[in-house]
């Protein structure tokens, strides 16, 4: 199997084979998310996308032709709805166009929100 048809097994491999037009945004998103993840969170590839797991999936992200997407889930989308008006969203997805700077602070807030939600799951058990 060559490198192009082989499915990435790590986030680094996913980014390495990504289209050049989204690679810079993927690297930045990975750096931002990694910088705030607790050490016990596990980076992985799930549903063929980079993800972090901590008491379940905290967040997915992925690169597409003209945007990178953050998949924080519907609860986070609803919670941050007013701050997401500049971006295309769906039930559980936020699209960030590659021709614009990534909103690093907003991404951090959303991911921190999901970390808190996932850690709270453990306390409810």
């Amino acid at each position: 199997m060559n490198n192009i048809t082989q499915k990435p097994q790590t986030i680094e491999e996913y980014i390495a084979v990504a289209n050049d037009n989204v690679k810079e945004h993927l690297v930045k998103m990975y750096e931002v998310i990694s910088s705030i993840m607790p050490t016990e969170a596990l980076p992985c590839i799930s549903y063929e996308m980079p993800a972090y797991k901590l008491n379940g999936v905290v967040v997915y992200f992925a690169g597409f032709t003209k945007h990178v997407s953050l998949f924080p889930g519907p609860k986070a989308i609803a919670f941050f709805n007013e701050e997401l008006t500049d971006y295309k969203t769906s039930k559980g997805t936020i699209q960030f166009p590659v021709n614009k700077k990534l909103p690093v602070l907003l991404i951090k807030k959303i991911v921190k929100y999901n970390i808190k939600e996932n850690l709270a799951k453990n306390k409810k058990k």
Side-chain angles (χ1 to χ4, degrees):
M1 236 182 217
N2 66 32
N3 198 24
I4 303 224
T5 59
Q6 191 174 19
K7 292 181 181 178
Q9 300 299 307
T10 65
I11 296 175
E12 292 85 358
E13 288 176 8
Y14 179 93
I15 292 170
V17 299
N19 291 331
D20 288 341
N21 59 321
V22 298
K23 200 172 284 196
E24 184 179 326
H25 273 52
L26 283 174
V27 167
K28 186 67 176 174
M29 186 158 322
Y30 181 38
E31 289 171 352
V32 168
I33 294 170
S34 297
S35 73
I36 59 174
M37 269 305 150
T39 55
E40 62 271 21
L42 300 174
C44 64
I45 298 292
S46 182
Y47 296 105
E48 298 185 30
M49 295 183 291
Y52 275 90
K53 292 183 178 180
L54 178 67
N55 293 341
V57 174
V58 175
V59 68
Y60 299 94
F61 63 100
F64 298 91
T65 305
K66 297 181 181 180
H67 68 275
V68 292
S69 286
L70 184 70
F71 301 88
K75 191 172 181 182
I77 299 288
F79 189 84
F80 290 97
N81 189 44
E82 289 183 20
E83 295 179 65
L84 296 172
T85 56
D86 291 340
Y87 307 100
K88 185 174 181 182
T89 61
S90 64
K91 186 177 177 183
T93 308
I94 309 162
Q95 292 182 6
F96 301 109
V98 294
N99 63 350
K100 294 183 180 176
K101 189 175 176 185
L102 274 179
V104 171
L105 294 178
L106 178 59
I107 292 168
K108 283 183 177 183
K109 284 169 53 175
I110 293 168
V111 174
K112 285 179 181 179
Y113 171 86
N114 275 7
I115 291 168
K116 184 178 174 183
E117 290 291 307
N118 278 31
L119 290 174
K121 286 182 199 175
N122 201 28
K123 292 179 182 174
K124 291 178 185 176
K125 290 180 181 179

